[in-house]
């Protein structure tokens, strides 16, 4: 049960646990971070299963994002997860020092391994967040390269 996620009530008391140690749907091997999107879906970085698991608001498994590998869309050790205002998933890989961005269906949109400044900012923001309720969000994805282009055009 050490890999189960604790569920807390508003009073801070633990009410139940979700999941168990394993490799199947709803099973975890060192879950490290959780976040929610605007529809109440739960995203869990399942670090040593090399994936992010997605559950609906009733905690039913929806999909897994990623698997073990070293190419874009794969993970070596997913750590932080956060959801942007547009429900894009930001997933940080600790071993690759990479930020990957997925749409709400789990399709890879961006693999940011080169832009270290943006990755550091996004990592700090994603990892400093507590598990967020569905109404909370991050600002839209915005890389330093985009910001430099916008400044040059003004």
């Amino acid at each position: 049960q050490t890999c189960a996620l604790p569920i807390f009530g508003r009073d801070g008391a633990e009410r139940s646990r979700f999941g168990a140690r394993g490799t199947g749907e709803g099973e975890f091997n060192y879950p490290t971070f959780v976040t929610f999107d605007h529809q109440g879906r739960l995203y869990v970085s399942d670090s040593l299963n090399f994936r992010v698991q997605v559950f609906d608001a009733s905690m039913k498994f929806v999909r897994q994002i990623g698997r073990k590998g070293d190419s874009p869309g794969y993970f070596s050790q997913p750590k932080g997860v956060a959801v942007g205002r547009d429900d894009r998933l930001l997933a940080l890989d600790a071993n690759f020092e990479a930020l990957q961005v997925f749409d709400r269906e789990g399709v890879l949109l961006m693999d940011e391994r080169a832009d270290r400044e943006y990755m550091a900012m996004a990592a700090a923001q994603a990892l400093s967040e507590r598990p967020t309720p569905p109404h909370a969000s991050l600002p839209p994805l915005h890389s330093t390269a985009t910001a430099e282009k916008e400044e040059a055009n003004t």
Side-chain angles (χ1 to χ4, degrees), residues 9-106:
R10 292 183 186 263
D11 61 358
E14 186 176 317
R15 300 287 184 227
S16 63
R17 291 194 164 254
F18 173 69
R21 186 178 185 111
T23 59
E25 296 175 357
E27 296 177 337
F28 308 104
N29 193 3
Y30 293 96
T32 52
F33 246 81
V34 300
T35 191
F36 295 89
D37 68 12
H38 293 91
Q39 285 75 44
R41 287 180 292 226
L42 171 69
Y43 296 77
V44 180
S45 57
D46 190 4
S47 290
L48 296 183
N49 281 330
F50 317 104
R51 64 188 177 185
V52 174
Q53 291 195 64
V54 184
F55 302 89
D56 66 17
S58 64
M59 306 301 268
K60 181 180 175 191
F61 179 82
V62 174
R63 77 178 53 83
Q64 108 174 10
I65 297 172
R67 60 181 187 250
K68 186 176 184 177
D70 60 3
S71 300
Y74 293 78
F75 294 109
S76 173
Q77 190 176 12
K79 282 288 196 178
V81 289
V83 174
R85 190 173 291 141
D86 52 7
D87 280 344
R88 290 181 179 181
L89 172 69
L90 289 77
L92 300 170
D93 191 298
N95 287 342
F96 294 144
E97 297 180 352
L99 169 69
Q100 298 189 72
V101 181
F102 299 87
D103 70 11
R104 59 181 61 115
E105 301 303 317

